[in-house]
């Protein structure tokens, strides 16, 4: 840690003096350098590249709505999102072919506030 600090201070001083006055649009009085700044900047740059080159892919979810006594009950598949449409179509077909039993077991309930825009 002490070596990192000494290298950072020495190189920061060097590059600040070297670049001052050479670039008019350089608005920083001190150019900071540290051995851990380089990999951190690499993570930031890679994340920005990932964001800029992101291509959305279609996905499917399974959401079951049961109407009982005028109230809608929603059941969501715990598998979350699937990028395979046929897998979801097959599951929907199986659900439609099953005889509905009057007994239901609720394993958990999660309540979330819906955030507006």
């Amino acid at each position: 840690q002490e070596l990192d600090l000494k290298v950072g201070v020495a190189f920061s001083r060097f590059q600040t003096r070297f670049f001052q006055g050479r670039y008019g649009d350089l608005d920083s009085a001190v150019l900071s350098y540290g051995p851990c700044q380089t990999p951190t900047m690499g993570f930031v740059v890679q994340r920005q590249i990932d964001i800029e080159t992101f291509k959305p892919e279609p996905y499917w979810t399974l959401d079951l709505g049961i109407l009982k006594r005028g109230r809608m009950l929603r059941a969501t598949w715990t598998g979350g999102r699937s990028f395979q449409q046929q897998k979801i179509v097959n599951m929907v077909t199986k659900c439609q072919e099953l005889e509905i039993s009057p007994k239901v077991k609720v394993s958990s309930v999660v309540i979330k506030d819906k955030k507006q825009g």
Side-chain angles (χ1 to χ4, degrees):
Q1 290 176 342
E2 189 175 333
L3 181 61
D4 283 351
L5 178 61
K6 288 181 180 184
V7 168
V9 169
F11 197 73
S12 291
R13 184 178 301 133
F14 167 75
Q15 71 180 7
T16 299
R17 288 183 179 168
F18 183 80
F19 288 111
Q20 270 182 341
R22 293 182 187 227
Y23 300 99
D25 60 346
L26 188 63
D27 61 352
S28 180
V30 176
L31 297 176
S32 176
Y33 170 82
C36 62
Q37 289 176 325
T38 302
T40 302
M41 181 59 81
F43 296 138
V44 171
V45 169
Q46 185 58 51
R47 180 66 180 138
Q48 185 63 31
I49 290 169
D50 291 345
I51 290 169
E52 289 174 357
T53 60
F54 175 76
K55 293 184 180 136
E57 296 179 52
Y59 63 88
W60 290 262
T61 61
L62 187 57
D63 186 29
L64 177 63
I66 303 167
L67 186 61
K68 179 93 175 187
R69 295 185 192 139
R71 295 189 70 189
M72 179 62 75
L73 305 172
R74 311 241 11 113
T76 305
W77 176 47
T78 59
R81 299 176 181 171
S82 175
F83 295 97
Q84 302 170 7
Q85 181 181 15
Q86 192 56 47
K87 179 178 182 179
I88 300 298
V89 169
N90 291 342
M91 292 175 77
V92 169
T93 302
K94 286 181 184 179
C95 288
Q96 291 170 337
E97 293 172 351
L98 292 174
E99 291 184 27
I100 303 298
S101 170
K103 295 182 181 180
V104 176
K105 178 183 176 188
V106 177
S107 60
S108 71
V109 175
V110 177
I111 298 172
K112 296 182 181 180
D113 290 335
K114 187 173 183 179
K115 294 183 180 180
Q116 298 295 325

